[in-house]
Amino acid sequence: EQCYNAQLAVDMESLLIVATNPVQAANDKQQIEPMLNVLKPIAQMLGKPETIVADTGFYSETNINLCAASGINAMIAVKREEHHPDPMARYTEPPPCKDDATPLEAMHHTLQTMEGRALYAQRKCTVEPVIGIVKSVMGFRQFSLRGLINVRGELNLVALACNLKRMFVLMGSLKVANA
């Protein structure tokens, strides 16, 4: 039985899928480096990503160091956070990060700041809805083809269809704004 894990890179402003990378690994921990390699050649056209925001499945010191070496801020959740944190913790800033902090320590600090929490919270409004649209609205829940090359093509077609649907919505909002 062949199984595939679809990796997507989604632009937080437009909600467009900018890169795909299907893999045959169930675990996401080793998928930051391949996605960075996919994003590298398209950076000249779209611009270099400033930040990668990912859930706890991608968390590892190696991934954070890879992002830092690429000049990209990593915002990868360390663990599941409780739903209702202490109000004082929610509205206060942590003490400043030390000057000689490692990329891992700097990311931990940034995730505790109000700005970092707000940026990470946007993940729930960007990547997750795009995945939901692909699954629920477009009805794509499994690959029809077999073989990694075929699956890559199928995932790219799904991303293209999703992006066309999104661009149609974006164009409609531009017409309303110009009216």
Side-chain angles (χ1 to χ4, degrees):
E1 182 176 315
Q2 295 183 352
C3 300
Y4 303 95
N5 183 352
Q7 302 291 316
L8 302 176
V10 177
D11 178 63
M12 289 181 117
E13 290 180 30
S14 65
L15 300 184
L16 292 171
I17 299 170
V18 295
T20 64
N21 189 34
V23 296
Q24 289 182 298
N27 190 319
D28 291 331
K29 286 222 188 306
Q30 288 82 36
Q31 302 314 315
I32 291 284
E33 185 173 20
M35 186 55 80
L36 288 173
N37 292 334
V38 171
L39 290 170
K40 199 178 295 182
I42 62 175
Q44 291 179 344
M45 293 181 293
L46 300 177
K48 181 180 167 193
E50 295 174 16
T51 305
I52 287 183
V53 182
D55 64 25
T56 56
F58 294 89
Y59 177 77
S60 76
E61 187 170 4
T62 302
N63 285 341
I64 295 158
N65 290 335
L66 284 167
C67 290
S70 298
I72 299 171
N73 296 323
M75 297 288 287
I76 303 172
V78 178
K79 60 181 174 146
R80 287 192 85 126
E81 297 292 326
E82 59 186 67
H83 287 285
H84 305 288
D86 174 43
M88 293 307 291
R90 188 183 307 168
Y91 299 108
T92 57
E93 291 288 343
C97 188
K98 58 185 183 178
D99 293 333
D100 61 341
T102 65
L104 178 66
E105 293 168 335
M107 187 201 74
H108 278 271
H109 178 268
T110 303
L111 283 170
Q112 293 173 4
T113 65
M114 290 171 61
E115 183 181 350
R117 288 192 304 262
L119 179 61
Y120 185 78
Q122 286 182 348
R123 186 188 71 79
K124 298 174 203 162
C125 305
T126 54
V127 174
E128 296 304 324
V130 170
I131 293 169
I133 288 167
V134 167
K135 287 182 174 180
S136 297
V137 176
M138 297 174 63
F140 185 79
R141 300 188 81 55
Q142 66 186 27
F143 292 101
S144 299
L145 302 175
R146 296 293 172 244
L148 194 56
I149 292 172
N150 294 335
V151 166
R152 181 170 286 116
E154 188 175 2
L155 182 58
N156 286 337
L157 283 173
V158 169
L160 175 65
C162 186
N163 283 347
L164 287 171
K165 180 177 179 45
R166 179 66 187 152
M167 285 189 277
F168 182 77
V169 169
L170 292 172
M171 292 302 294
S173 64
L174 285 176
K175 288 179 183 177
V176 171
N178 291 333

